Amino acid sequence: EKLFSGFSKTRENLAVVDELLLYWNLADTDRVLDELEEALLVSDFGPKISIKIVDSLRDDILAGKLKSGSEIKDALKRCVLELLTNKGSKTELQLGFRKPAVIMVVGVNGGGKTTSLGKLAHRLKKEGVKVLLAAGDTFRAAASEQLEIWAERTGSEIVVAEGEKAKAPSVLSQAVKRGKEQGYDVVLCDTSGRLHTNYSLMEELVSCKKAVAKVIPGAPNEILLVLDGTTGLNMLQQAREFNDVVGVTGFILTKLDGSARGGCVVSVVDELGIPVKFVGVGEGVDDLQPFDAEAFVNAIFP
Ligand code: GDP
């Protein structure tokens, strides 16, 4: 429901196409596909994906495979679903067998990183997972306190920086050591929010990753990039840069309850081949859902 309301703007953009498809006949093909391309572009699908979708529909229409407006609509949904599920890449967390599993959460400031980490802790705890939080955002003064509030809210233990000069890699390393010694299942690591253009902070992420791997070879198991769902195509650039520097294993898409821009998500998943693992649909503890590509597509193309 929240996802559906978040995509109202995208649906509005596509309404004209829906209308045309209701009364579609073969002679209308160019007009409908032009309108569709325009609507996809306005909805931030990006030129590459918009053209890819429209071309594939055109081919199928001209080959006589799609014979009605509703068949075209179904083909459109199938096409977007395929792009989003990206050849079956895993949308579930891959935590491996070694304990503790380590999840690092990264992203730009204000995207919803700390909130998502708290919501993820809540989710995992509900499943009976023993979770330790690591306050690795040592850059923003209030970040650690914000995470402490989430620790309290979710009944999780937390490791915070000792002393003002403590650096993120050492906080994460400490937390993972404690996780190992005290039998935790998962260590959830916050990191400093950063612009993807802030190269020294981006380098710090690499140090964080190395510090964690020193304690548990092969860790972190997951590096989840938080992407603000209300950002336009800039999301693609962010995802590229974080992936280049640190190697992203999955996305958490936040604020899909607001005025989300679903289109660019399709572009990001298609280009990078990295799956969306969770979506944020509000600020409460229960507002993090596993990504459901079908629900996502149905919310855009009902
Ligand atoms: P960070 O700087 O990336 O750690 O971002 P925060 O976790 O502090 O979140 C920034 C703001 O976005 C806060 O006001 C959050 O409550 C809000 N926020 C985070 N996720 C969501 C979401 O899924 N939906 C909505 N509506 N707000 C969110």
Side-chain angles (χ1 to χ4, degrees), residues 172-211:
L172 299 194
S173 156
Q174 245 178 48
V176 175
K177 273 184 196 143
R178 179 168 154 196
K180 198 170 158 184
E181 284 158 13
Q182 301 184 355
Y184 280 87
D185 299 312
V186 173
V187 181
L188 271 178
C189 304
D190 199 6
T191 58
S192 303
R194 67 207 70 218
L195 274 178
H196 50 288
T197 45
N198 183 331
Y199 297 105
S200 62
L201 271 178
M202 287 298 266
E203 280 308 310
E204 188 196 74
L205 276 186
V206 178
S207 308
C208 285
K209 196 177 162 180
K210 282 186 186 150

Side-chain angles (χ1 to χ4, degrees), residues 108-116 119 140 146 254-257 280-283 287:
V108 303
N109 275 323
K113 197 166 38 63
T114 308
T115 310
S116 299
K119 291 191 277 191
R140 183 163 62 97
Q146 195 187 340
T254 60
K255 309 187 192 179
L256 293 193
D257 52 313
V281 290
E283 295 173 277
D287 289 329

Side-chain angles (χ1 to χ4, degrees), residues 115-173:
T115 310
S116 299
L117 200 103
K119 291 191 277 191
L120 186 55
H122 179 68
R123 258 203 101 77
L124 291 169
K125 290 207 70 161
K126 268 203 315 197
E127 293 168 9
V129 174
K130 196 175 170 198
V131 177
L132 179 63
L133 300 180
D137 184 351
T138 50
F139 193 68
R140 183 163 62 97
S144 169
E145 284 143 47
Q146 195 187 340
L147 196 64
E148 280 180 279
I149 293 171
W150 275 101
E152 211 166 286
R153 200 178 281 167
T154 59
S156 309
E157 294 294 314
I158 181 169
V159 172
V160 295
E162 276 168 27
E164 278 183 13
K165 292 218 173 83
K167 291 272 185 263
S170 96
V171 177
L172 299 194
S173 156

Side-chain angles (χ1 to χ4, degrees), residues 55-283:
D55 282 352
S56 120
L57 290 177
R58 189 187 315 275
D59 288 348
D60 285 352
I61 293 170
L62 295 180
K65 290 185 197 158
L66 305 174
K67 297 188 187 70
S68 67
S70 70
E71 283 183 9
I72 297 173
K73 174 88 178 264
D74 286 345
L76 168 62
K77 287 170 73 164
R78 250 191 337 267
C79 184
V80 175
L81 189 66
E82 266 166 33
L83 291 167
L84 265 180
T85 44
N86 215 296
K87 299 135 211 142
S89 55
K90 299 253 189 319
T91 57
E92 306 87 30
L93 286 177
Q94 304 296 306
L95 299 183
F97 297 106
R98 211 176 317 196
K99 298 271 175 77
V102 180
I103 302 176
M104 254 171 76
V105 179
V106 302
V108 303
N109 275 323
K113 197 166 38 63
T114 308
T115 310
S116 299
L117 200 103
K119 291 191 277 191
L120 186 55
H122 179 68
R123 258 203 101 77
L124 291 169
K125 290 207 70 161
K126 268 203 315 197
E127 293 168 9
V129 174
K130 196 175 170 198
V131 177
L132 179 63
L133 300 180
D137 184 351
T138 50
F139 193 68
R140 183 163 62 97
S144 169
E145 284 143 47
Q146 195 187 340
L147 196 64
E148 280 180 279
I149 293 171
W150 275 101
E152 211 166 286
R153 200 178 281 167
T154 59
S156 309
E157 294 294 314
I158 181 169
V159 172
V160 295
E162 276 168 27
E164 278 183 13
K165 292 218 173 83
K167 291 272 185 263
S170 96
V171 177
L172 299 194
S173 156
Q174 245 178 48
V176 175
K177 273 184 196 143
R178 179 168 154 196
K180 198 170 158 184
E181 284 158 13
Q182 301 184 355
Y184 280 87
D185 299 312
V186 173
V187 181
L188 271 178
C189 304
D190 199 6
T191 58
S192 303
R194 67 207 70 218
L195 274 178
H196 50 288
T197 45
N198 183 331
Y199 297 105
S200 62
L201 271 178
M202 287 298 266
E203 280 308 310
E204 188 196 74
L205 276 186
V206 178
S207 308
C208 285
K209 196 177 162 180
K210 282 186 186 150
V212 164
K214 225 172 174 178
V215 184
I216 302 182
N221 305 70
E222 292 270 12
I223 298 181
L224 302 178
L225 172 61
V226 170
L227 293 170
D228 182 333
T230 62
T231 337
L233 279 171
N234 186 254
M235 187 192 278
L236 185 56
Q237 195 53 29
Q238 270 175 37
R240 279 184 193 136
E241 304 232 1
F242 272 94
N243 188 43
D244 283 349
V245 173
V246 83
V248 173
T249 60
F251 301 120
I252 300 180
L253 270 179
T254 60
K255 309 187 192 179
L256 293 193
D257 52 313
S259 54
R261 320 280 286 260
C264 34
V265 179
V266 183
S267 271
V268 171
V269 172
D270 180 61
E271 179 181 313
L272 298 177
I274 297 168
V276 179
K277 301 220 163 181
F278 293 98
V279 297
V281 290
E283 295 173 277

